[in-house]
Amino acid sequence: MAPEAVSPSPGDSWFRRLAEATGDVFFMLRTKPDLALEFASDALGEHLGYFFYYVKEYTEIFTRVVDHRDADRFALALATQPGESFAAPFRWVHRDGHPVWTQIVMSSRSREDGSIVIEGTSHDITDLTLAEQALANSEARYRLLAENSTDVVCHIRSGRIAWISPSVTAALGGPADQWL
């Protein structure tokens, strides 16, 4: 006889241990009939800098700390209908004021009592986002320098010219793209 399947619930101790071990936030947010954060793993405090004993105290904080630039996206997420899923990056404002970027994946469902909840996870992508921004800034500075230099600068990939600075026109004649 096969063992009966057991569905985890946020109250199960093994689920809580798993949730805390990942460093990700697991959450259950009720959107109807009212907005209330019903469950959040302790990592939420690490992500946002607010540590409360009761999840109810997070509800107001949770909605206030969304970065204003993501307010419309947050409203769309809250409007997710039962059976639908939503995934997007979000910017938050940490208690000390620094930005926190997270990737949220969630889905909405109806419960028997008529309420609607969103269940999901939030993964901190702040370090990745900052690294991507630093790389983009570095590339922009390099391109500015290379495109405004009177020296010919080129990037060779696999034995072929992948990019050449516009100064090649003055130095060798013809448009830069003829050298690619």
Side-chain angles (χ1 to χ4, degrees):
M1 178 155 59
E4 187 176 320
V6 178
S7 297
S9 68
D12 289 339
S13 63
W14 74 268
F15 178 81
R16 184 170 288 280
R17 286 192 311 271
L18 177 65
E20 297 308 328
T22 67
D24 289 348
V25 175
F26 288 75
F27 63 90
M28 183 181 296
L29 181 66
R30 185 175 62 239
T31 58
K32 288 190 179 163
D34 59 345
L35 185 63
L37 186 61
E38 292 186 353
F39 170 79
S41 56
D42 292 341
L44 183 60
E46 294 294 329
H47 284 220
L48 301 179
Y50 295 92
F51 296 91
F52 297 112
Y53 184 71
Y54 296 104
V55 169
K56 291 179 202 175
E57 297 172 319
Y58 265 117
T59 301
E60 182 183 335
I61 298 296
F62 190 68
T63 57
R64 276 193 332 194
V65 297
V66 174
D67 186 291
H68 71 278
R69 293 169 288 184
D70 288 343
D72 289 343
R73 187 177 314 135
F74 189 68
L76 282 175
L78 292 178
T80 302
Q81 295 300 306
E84 294 179 349
S85 296
F86 188 89
F90 280 92
R91 290 170 285 200
W92 306 86
V93 180
H94 190 276
R95 183 180 195 159
D96 68 10
H98 78 268
V100 176
W101 284 268
T102 63
Q103 177 66 35
I104 292 186
V105 178
M106 59 187 217
S107 60
S108 180
R109 68 177 173 90
S110 292
R111 296 193 284 201
E112 288 182 16
D113 66 2
S115 63
I116 298 176
V117 293
I118 294 174
E119 301 163 317
T121 62
S122 174
H123 180 73
D124 188 335
I125 58 169
T126 302
D127 291 342
L128 174 63
T129 303
L130 293 174
E132 288 172 344
Q133 289 176 348
L135 177 60
N137 290 341
S138 176
E139 288 173 346
R141 283 191 304 274
Y142 171 78
R143 183 165 297 275
L144 181 66
L145 176 66
E147 288 178 350
N148 291 293
S149 173
T150 55
D151 295 333
V152 175
V153 179
C154 68
H155 176 91
I156 298 175
R157 186 182 310 136
S158 302
R160 296 182 51 109
I161 297 174
W163 181 86
I164 193 161
S165 63
S167 60
V168 72
T169 301
L172 302 176
D177 61 355
Q178 89 176 31
W179 299 95
L180 301 179

